[in-house]
Amino acid sequence: MINIEEVEKLARLARIELTDEEKEQFQKEIGSILDYVSELKEAPIEGDEALAISENVNQLREDENPHETGLYSKELLEETPRSEKGFVKVKKIFE
Amino acid sequence: MDKEFFKNLTIKKVAKAMQDGDTTALELTQYYLENIKGKNGELNAYLRIFAGAEDQARKIDEDIKNGKIMGPLAGIPFAIKDNMLIKGEVASASSKILENYRATYDATVIKKLREAGAIFLGTVNMDEFAMGSSTENSAFGPTKNPHDPARVPGGSSGGSAVAVAADMALASLGSDTGGSIRQPASFCGEVGLKPTYGRVSRSGLIAMASSLDQIGPITRTVEDAEIIFNIIKGKDPLDATTVNEDVIPETKQENKKLKIGLLTYDKNVVAPEINDMMEKSVEMLKQAGHEIMEVTLPYLKYSLSCYYIIMPAEVSSNLARLDGVKYGLLKEGDNLLDDYLKTRGTGFGKEAKRRIMIGTYVLSSGYYDDYYSKAQEIRDLIRRDFENAFDLSAGGVDAIILPTTTEPAFKIGEKTDDPMKMYLEDIFTVSANLAGVPAISIPTGFAERDGVKLPLGLQIIAPHFREDVLFSLGKQVENAKIKV
């Protein structure tokens, strides 16, 4: 149902490093789960009504009354693994 | 107050005792802290016990004395599932990736409970990010069922159910994405309520699958669940899916005669005691004057497949935020991409990885239409099945009854080797989440396994916003004390 290369591709897309043992295990397990849920492909859809259109409506608000700048910065930065001078620090993205 | 008084208390009993000056929030809090100390080593329900709980209780006692807080939850000690934010406390969702994350704000439900005078004893164990049906997927070890410690308490809100069942809290909050309140409540012999989607704010709940997640109480009685629900419900600008209570028609289901649908299900996949429990429940409801009719929902058979496509799809998106940058664990690599790979590779447990990858698969181009789009269509048809079943003008019913689970609590380790086996646990619970309707599990009888009596649960599902029907019927079932 799904081969090792596909498992590796999924892991890469999902940004998860896997051990070889995990890859093998997931190949089997994800394969059997996909087999099970594939029954949906055969599920008959009767009529031609528009389906899967959410009845929920967007609830928007005015973008106004901002809180005082920096009010939460200290607390939030304390939770970041790395920060410097009031900024979240990450490795460089451009060479 | 003598110790016997505190055993298996309900909110209502406490309110009266406090009013009469027979007990205090502090006395109550100390009773539960003592029980936690004695039992948590074996059961592993609590991950953290709050050092400030007694001080909080003293303050509540003061506030009660001065008339600053009133209401049924004043002084009631709660256990809180580890995926709800309490400002200043660790909220890890039982994952290594958030092991040291401290919440910077209160979840809306926490704020509401706080304002009502509730006391927080600590945070309780769960399946990592609420993914699982046994609490075995916690990064901090499994929680045990107090009825038989060799068995699971159910999940993902296993800690919440055990805290109440083992008298380590008076009530608790859990979250339910596909059965995570109802199934552990059933396995532990408690009441578990999943409210209507949009009724309770999820602001401050660590999201798993946002179109399915709901917060609800686990309690000893239906009345306690009702009291808590009435405090935590309501519109919240911080959760755009919450519905304005003003638009919900005011309904109160008094002891009217109802039409109740008995859901057609495959009796062969269910333990004999549960089939027996269903028959006795039907008998009891008939004797109470209700009309019982069989109900078949044609698309229900696809609900598990539908759920195990939509849920992982949303999981893969919601858990993308855990990248070692904003909060939580960081495992450094050679470059930013490497940071992501290592952080997520070491921080997530197996089930989280599995679901993220399945979600990534069903959302990827080439598979999206076959899986995700099709599942959304089927979900719509399942919702319509429920709407048709509840259409009273077309011969429909007021409520539907079905079992909460196919069997009593299973053994620790029994289903961990095969994820598909574990997923089948959710067969009776996921449909309420897919349709967004409210559902409750009521403890009803026992099944004996290895010489131990294990609790069973009857599930009741009502139309959108009709929690009142669940409470009314639930109390009738509870009072009937059906023997199985």
Side-chain angles (χ1 to χ4, degrees), chain B residues 253 256-264 278 281-296 389-390 392 395-402 458-463 469-470 472-474 476-477:
Chain B
Q253 198 66 47
K256 255 179 32 191
K257 305 295 173 229
L258 299 180
K259 282 165 85 177
I260 299 169
L262 169 65
L263 187 80
T264 318
M278 289 308 297
S281 301
V282 165
E283 210 40 57
M284 175 253 130
L285 290 164
K286 270 187 194 161
Q287 272 176 15
H290 303 295
E291 186 189 335
I292 308 282
M293 52 208 275
E294 291 222 5
V295 166
T296 305
F390 289 135
L392 289 170
V397 296
D398 294 286
I400 292 173
I401 56 168
L402 69 162
L458 173 74
Q459 189 179 190
I460 312 172
I461 302 180
V469 174
L470 301 182
S472 166
L473 276 179
Q476 293 172 43
V477 173

Side-chain angles (χ1 to χ4, degrees), chain B residues 19 31 46 63 96 187 217 303 316 330 357 401 421 468:
Chain B
Q19 226 166 27
Y31 169 77
Y46 279 83
D63 286 351
K96 273 198 284 186
F187 277 7
S303 56
S316 72
L330 167 65
M357 286 169 61
I401 56 168
K421 244 196 210 163
D468 61 313

Side-chain angles (χ1 to χ4, degrees), chain B residues 25-26 29 33 49-58 119-122:
Chain B
L26 181 62
T29 302
L33 289 174
I49 298 144
F50 297 160
E54 285 181 73
D55 283 343
Q56 201 193 346
R58 282 190 194 95
I119 290 157
F120 305 120
L121 296 168

Side-chain angles (χ1 to χ4, degrees), chain B residues 6-9 28-49 77-80 119-125 143-146 158-172 190 220:
Chain B
F6 292 100
K7 276 190 185 149
N8 298 315
L9 273 178
L28 209 54
T29 302
Q30 285 167 338
Y31 169 77
Y32 292 113
L33 289 174
E34 191 67 24
N35 274 358
I36 295 168
K37 223 161 106 191
K39 296 180 184 176
N40 203 51
E42 183 185 17
L43 299 175
N44 195 33
Y46 279 83
L47 295 175
R48 293 160 219 101
I49 298 144
F78 272 75
I80 303 294
I119 290 157
F120 305 120
L121 296 168
T123 40
V124 283
N125 205 9
T143 296
K144 317 275 173 65
N145 191 317
S160 306
V162 172
V164 178
D167 221 8
M168 298 194 281
L170 209 154
S172 65
E190 306 301 322
R220 291 197 185 101

